[in-house]
Amino acid sequence: MPGIEKSMSQYVTEHPSLKFVFFGGKGGVGKTVMAAVTAYWFAQQGRRTMLASTNPVHSLSGLLAQNVFGKPTAVEGQANLWAYEIDTKETIERSKVEIRNKIQWFLKFADISTKADEFVESATMNPAFEESAMFENMVDLMFNNEYDVYVFDTAPTANARRLLGMSKVYAMWVNKMLKSREEARSLRELLSFTKKKEADPLMDYLLSFRDRMSHARELLTDNKQTAFFFVTLPEALPIAVITRFINWFHEFGIPVGGVIVNMLIDKASLNPNSAAFVQNRVAMQEEHMQTVWQKFDGQVRAIVPLYDTEVRGIQAINKMAAAVFS
């Protein structure tokens, strides 16, 4: 059976400029734990590290055994490490005000008089609006550049795909909006009696937004600064999920750092008297590990054993860091 060609620590050593690290995978595979372990390791190297959750169903506070919701919070027991469960409510409320202003400017431009509130409410009730707000918060963190390393615990892969793909989708949308707005402004000036050029805050916003998305995409696709790691169990479904999404991340140009296999049962702990349930699980995992080596040849960075206790608190994270970065 093949082995690990390049470990997690080797990968990080070969990417000294690594700054934005993402973890994703199917739900329940240990993404939050791996993100926390990696952030802890970076902090131990003396680098100011932010561990942030973009998963709407946060679990960092539970893992760290302290409340980190709503604002960057120093992690107790480890210097250089801060954690933050992003709260989107404030961003959504701010976005409502911005959308209301933009709609009013748009209607004024078209000489239409109406109230914008009903448009705002319908726009912000869209299920994708919270993801959009989460993306805005994530980009704010990245742009603020207050930390040496940012480790993101993302939602299950489908959500992470949409989240990280927003920079590309937004870029396409804003280019269409800019074209339409420019055509409308040219027509308005052509038909105007005075030919006077008016200020256009909506156009200014679109240009600013285009620059912001362009910069975000630049960071997310920079293989020197960014890496997305997939976490899987030695089981069929999580392997199938990340097989599909690794290809998608390549298409979007987001650098894939590798794969971490979590919760592998140590065969050395078995004996003839071991329960049949355990022996069956080990046989199943062995079969799926063959698939892992076949599908992710050269990309497996660490194999983490299944522990007999749950991972919670700094001491448990320290124990797992030894396994991931050995």
Side-chain angles (χ1 to χ4, degrees), residues 15-313:
H15 294 75
S17 301
L18 197 60
K19 190 178 183 74
F20 307 110
V21 182
F22 295 84
F23 282 87
K26 187 178 177 299
V29 297
K31 298 183 297 296
T32 303
V33 170
M34 294 305 160
V37 164
T38 302
Y40 172 85
W41 185 85
F42 274 114
Q44 280 204 316
Q45 312 309 306
R47 301 174 70 176
R48 282 173 54 85
T49 304
M50 165 55 68
L51 169 63
S53 168
T54 63
N55 189 340
V57 185
H58 298 298
S59 51
L60 275 184
S61 291
L63 173 65
L64 298 170
Q66 71 175 98
N67 182 15
V68 297
F69 180 77
K71 62 180 182 180
T73 304
V75 175
E76 297 166 2
Q78 178 55 53
N80 301 315
L81 181 59
W82 287 260
Y84 178 21
E85 290 178 338
I86 296 174
D87 180 12
T88 58
K89 288 181 181 177
E90 185 180 335
T91 306
I92 289 174
E93 291 305 314
R94 188 172 66 244
S95 296
K96 283 183 178 181
V97 175
E98 292 175 353
I99 290 173
R100 184 179 292 108
N101 292 338
K102 293 180 185 70
I103 289 176
Q104 286 173 339
W105 264 101
F106 179 82
L107 295 176
K108 179 185 176 184
F109 198 76
D111 291 329
I112 299 173
S113 177
T114 187
K115 293 182 179 179
D117 288 350
E118 57 188 77
F119 291 97
V120 174
E121 288 305 315
S122 61
T124 54
M125 288 178 68
N126 188 317
F129 199 80
E130 185 169 3
E131 285 185 357
S132 173
M134 187 66 78
F135 181 79
E136 287 291 317
N137 279 290
M138 184 187 82
V139 169
D140 280 344
L141 263 182
M142 295 170 69
F143 286 4
N144 285 343
N145 199 27
E146 295 178 359
Y147 300 87
D148 299 325
V149 180
Y150 295 79
V151 180
F152 290 98
D153 169 31
T154 72
T157 300
N159 298 72
R161 163 187 164 169
R162 288 199 298 271
L163 188 70
L164 300 185
M166 278 182 178
S167 62
K168 187 173 183 178
V169 174
Y170 272 150
M172 291 188 292
W173 172 80
V174 78
N175 283 333
K176 287 184 179 179
M177 288 292 293
L178 278 168
K179 184 180 179 183
S180 298
R181 190 65 178 175
E182 185 58 44
E183 288 174 352
R185 186 166 69 174
S186 298
L187 183 60
R188 181 181 173 89
E189 289 175 0
L190 184 65
L191 297 176
S192 169
F193 177 75
T194 63
K195 306 299 182 187
K196 181 181 177 183
K197 291 185 180 294
E198 295 182 53
D200 188 351
L202 185 54
M203 179 63 94
D204 294 341
Y205 164 78
L206 289 172
L207 289 170
S208 170
F209 188 72
R210 183 179 65 179
D211 293 343
R212 179 177 167 83
M213 288 303 103
S214 175
H215 185 40
R217 180 156 180 75
E218 189 178 292
L219 294 179
L220 289 171
T221 57
D222 183 350
N223 61 12
K224 292 181 180 175
Q225 295 191 75
T226 299
F228 195 103
F229 291 91
F230 287 91
V231 183
T232 185
L233 304 181
E235 296 178 7
L237 289 182
I239 292 172
V241 166
I242 67 172
T243 300
R244 190 162 62 249
F245 284 103
I246 281 178
N247 292 331
W248 182 91
F249 275 69
H250 283 312
E251 289 173 6
F252 263 65
I254 297 170
V256 175
V259 173
I260 295 176
V261 181
N262 194 18
M263 301 186 193
L264 185 71
I265 300 173
D266 182 8
K267 287 193 299 182
S269 64
L270 292 182
N271 61 59
N273 297 322
S274 296
F277 168 80
V278 178
Q279 295 191 31
N280 289 339
R281 296 290 299 185
V282 169
M284 178 203 73
Q285 290 191 343
E286 276 196 319
E287 181 181 342
H288 289 305
M289 281 306 295
Q290 292 179 13
T291 305
V292 166
W293 295 121
Q294 178 188 359
K295 288 186 176 295
F296 313 124
D297 183 32
Q299 297 183 80
V300 178
R301 303 287 172 240
I303 297 176
V304 183
L306 175 65
Y307 294 102
D308 56 2
T309 57
E310 67 175 335
V311 179
R312 190 161 188 260

